[in-house]
Amino acid sequence: MSRYLIFDLGASNGRAVVAQVREGQLQFEITHNFDNRPVVMNNGEFFWDIPRLYSEIKIGLKKSLKQFDDIKFMAIDTWGCDFGFLDSDDRLINSVLTYRDQNQHDLSEKLHSILSEEELFQLSGGPSNRIMGIYKLFSMKENNFLEYREGKSLLMMPDIFNFMLTGKKVNEFTNATMTLLVNQNTRSWEKKIFEKLNLKSDFLNPIVEPGTNIGPIKKEVCEELGIAPIDVIVPATHDTAAAVSGIPCKGNQDWGFISLGTWGLAGIETEKPVMDERIVPFQFGNEGSADGKNLLLKNITGLWIIQQCREAWLQEYGDKVTWDYICEEARDTADEDSFIDVDDPIFGQIHSSMPKVIKDYCKKTGQPIPVNIGAIARCVFKSMALKFNESFQQITSVIEKRIEVLHVVGGGSQNKLLCQWIADAMNTTVVAGPVETTVTGNFLFQLLADGTIKDLNEGRELSANSSDLHVFSPSDSELWEKIKDTYNKKINKDVSFN
């Protein structure tokens, strides 16, 4: 039985994983781990360190193929939204600005004075979240960036690495939709958007579907690393689409999902894009999925806030502030009924002290100020659970579909306290796990390309049979109805810190 190599790059770390199917079970072995930290340059701009990340991929390749000589395919998934440009000599122009770059946020109003959110939705179907690639591209044009002027090929993050390995320039569908420049009904670039915003389009590449084999690693890379060539498969390269592809669902229940990491991607899988304009004010939109299907979802600030809090607490209190410690403190602290709107823009920014930002928010909104680790963590976790509930209530009211079970996957599925509070807030059964759903989804596309499985449904059954899942049943429904009422009264949606 062949093995397969997975590269899963997130916004804070990455890893190489070797996978195989053995006795009907998916088996994984991590062969290389590495950090992914943006580099600050040019008066506060944040860039991804592409050369170092590519170097880590090559290290993972060499390690994995040295350890296992029967690896057949490899595939790369990353976060979405970010892209870079190649010049006329196929050299990467500069590094890649991160989706948290302030310029693209600052110019969003100007963009929408030309192309309204409603019109953009009708053309792309996607959510007008300011991290999406269209805002960066428009900012580059308005600021006359070198990349925009001289760029001959636009590649999303995984496309960049695939090009470096194979020499093939393609744009994979699920990640391309994260630009809001793709018509999700036709699954092709939407030229009307480029024309309306007076954007260049001659740097676009063919869009390919998940599961496409783009050929072997090129000779020069193989000789450098001392490895035999293996074929590169393009999976659902957007990590959210990969994660949803790997969700261990089976049966006929109507299910929703939260892919919970730095972001909380909350939504449902649909047969085709939902083009009802009533979802626009709720900040829901369509994003690319595999197998011809669609993801109707919303990007909600996930564990980013508590991750930033922990960074500050580690500086102040040292290594005792483990994730288990934070959750225990949150569970054991008395409830102060303090809440934040996790989607207020202030919480999506990088701060030297996120705990202080939370305290300032609570003070400004006339709430009790959480003063210690437990109170702050409790405030954050409950606010996340309530935001997820609010968001699913909004979208199910439009599509008239009740969610019978909610799958929480990704790193956040290990937080038992948060999973229980999500179940309580939504009054819905939560199935948590696996943690490695993105890796699973990536692997399934390699199995599809190899003909080992016939479709994603078969792959998801494999995922379910291979996963250690935890079920959280809703409890304390009367208490949580009171909590939701208090949250709705205290969180003034008009409050903004920008």
Side-chain angles (χ1 to χ4, degrees), residues 2 67 76 141 177 181 204 224 276 311 322 330 361 453 461 485 498:
S2 298
Q67 186 173 346
I76 300 172
K141 177 184 82 79
T177 65
L181 297 166
L204 301 176
E224 175 195 347
D276 191 323
E311 289 290 327
T322 64
Y361 182 97
I453 57 175
E461 290 214 9
D485 184 58
N498 278 2

Side-chain angles (χ1 to χ4, degrees), residues 48-67:
W48 298 115
D49 191 349
I50 302 299
R52 192 183 71 79
L53 291 175
Y54 181 49
S55 176
E56 295 288 0
I57 289 172
K58 290 193 291 184
I59 291 169
L61 257 173
K62 189 170 184 176
K63 279 185 177 180
S64 302
L65 271 74
K66 184 178 181 180
Q67 186 173 346

Side-chain angles (χ1 to χ4, degrees), residues 216-344:
I217 297 173
K218 59 188 180 182
K219 181 181 177 182
E220 298 89 337
V221 176
C222 292
E223 289 178 349
E224 175 195 347
L225 302 180
I227 61 173
I230 58 173
D231 280 4
V232 176
I233 305 300
V234 176
T237 63
H238 182 212
D239 52 11
T240 301
V244 176
S245 299
I247 284 177
C249 57
K250 53 184 181 180
N252 298 316
Q253 286 182 305
D254 287 332
W255 54 275
F257 65 86
I258 301 173
S259 181
L260 187 51
T262 301
W263 290 93
L265 290 305
I268 59 174
E269 186 177 65
T270 62
E271 292 296 322
K272 60 183 181 179
V274 176
M275 300 304 294
D276 191 323
E277 286 192 0
R278 288 179 295 168
I279 72 174
V280 176
F282 299 144
Q283 296 182 311
F284 271 82
N286 303 284
E287 293 181 10
S289 189
D291 229 11
K293 294 187 178 180
N294 176 72
L295 302 181
L296 177 62
L297 55 73
K298 178 179 181 178
N299 291 356
I300 297 168
T301 302
L303 297 173
W304 166 259
I305 299 172
I306 200 67
Q307 288 167 347
Q308 289 288 290
C309 285
R310 183 170 180 259
E311 289 290 327
W313 291 330
L314 286 170
Q315 292 292 321
E316 186 173 355
Y317 302 110
D319 293 341
K320 77 169 187 178
V321 190
T322 64
W323 288 115
D324 286 343
Y325 177 85
I326 291 170
C327 290
E328 288 167 6
E329 290 293 303
R331 182 195 62 210
D332 296 340
T333 297
D335 213 332
E336 295 180 338
D337 281 340
S338 298
F339 305 100
I340 60 173
D341 181 352
V342 298
D343 277 342
D344 189 292

Side-chain angles (χ1 to χ4, degrees), residues 59 98 124 262 303 336 345 351 455 467:
I59 291 169
T98 78
S124 74
T262 301
L303 297 173
E336 295 180 338
H351 299 283
D455 56 29
S467 301

Side-chain angles (χ1 to χ4, degrees), residues 98-238:
T98 78
Y99 56 78
R100 296 190 190 277
D101 178 58
Q102 195 57 42
N103 276 324
Q104 69 185 66
H105 296 261
D106 292 343
L107 285 165
S108 61
E109 287 189 17
K110 182 173 182 179
L111 185 155
H112 285 304
S113 71
I114 303 168
L115 181 67
S116 70
E117 290 193 17
E118 291 74 19
E119 188 176 0
L120 178 59
F121 174 76
Q122 286 302 322
L123 291 170
S124 74
S128 295
N129 190 310
R130 276 28 177 192
I131 68 172
M132 305 299 253
I134 189 173
Y135 299 100
K136 181 185 298 180
L137 189 63
F138 184 76
S139 169
M140 287 180 161
K141 177 184 82 79
E142 291 296 297
N143 289 296
N144 198 30
F145 278 21
L146 172 67
E147 297 96 312
Y148 182 82
R149 296 198 314 270
E150 300 297 331
K152 302 301 180 185
S153 186
L154 182 152
L155 297 174
M156 305 301 286
M157 288 296 296
D159 303 330
I160 292 172
F161 299 125
N162 285 335
F163 167 74
M164 290 175 169
L165 291 170
T166 68
K168 302 290 178 61
K169 289 180 277 191
V170 297
N171 294 125
E172 185 275 324
F173 172 70
T174 66
N175 223 308
T177 65
M178 300 303 291
T179 63
L180 297 187
L181 297 166
V182 171
N183 182 317
Q184 295 192 55
N185 283 301
T186 63
R187 298 173 86 88
S188 61
W189 297 110
E190 179 50 80
K191 295 299 179 68
K192 290 179 181 177
I193 298 174
F194 290 87
E195 292 167 1
K196 186 82 174 178
L197 295 175
N198 194 28
L199 293 169
K200 291 165 54 178
S201 62
D202 57 354
F203 41 55
L204 301 176
N205 302 290
I207 290 179
V208 299
E209 291 286 339
T212 300
N213 185 328
I214 59 172
I217 297 173
K218 59 188 180 182
K219 181 181 177 182
E220 298 89 337
V221 176
C222 292
E223 289 178 349
E224 175 195 347
L225 302 180
I227 61 173
I230 58 173
D231 280 4
V232 176
I233 305 300
V234 176
T237 63
H238 182 212

Side-chain angles (χ1 to χ4, degrees), residues 52-105:
R52 192 183 71 79
L53 291 175
Y54 181 49
S55 176
E56 295 288 0
I57 289 172
K58 290 193 291 184
I59 291 169
L61 257 173
K62 189 170 184 176
K63 279 185 177 180
S64 302
L65 271 74
K66 184 178 181 180
Q67 186 173 346
F68 301 101
D69 60 7
D70 56 352
I71 293 174
K72 185 173 184 180
F73 293 152
M74 65 159 286
I76 300 172
D77 66 75
T78 78
W79 65 97
C81 303
D82 290 330
F83 56 83
F85 286 97
L86 304 181
D87 66 14
S88 57
D89 294 321
D90 286 341
R91 295 169 66 91
L92 185 66
I93 307 175
N94 295 333
S95 202
V96 174
L97 278 165
T98 78
Y99 56 78
R100 296 190 190 277
D101 178 58
Q102 195 57 42
N103 276 324
Q104 69 185 66
H105 296 261

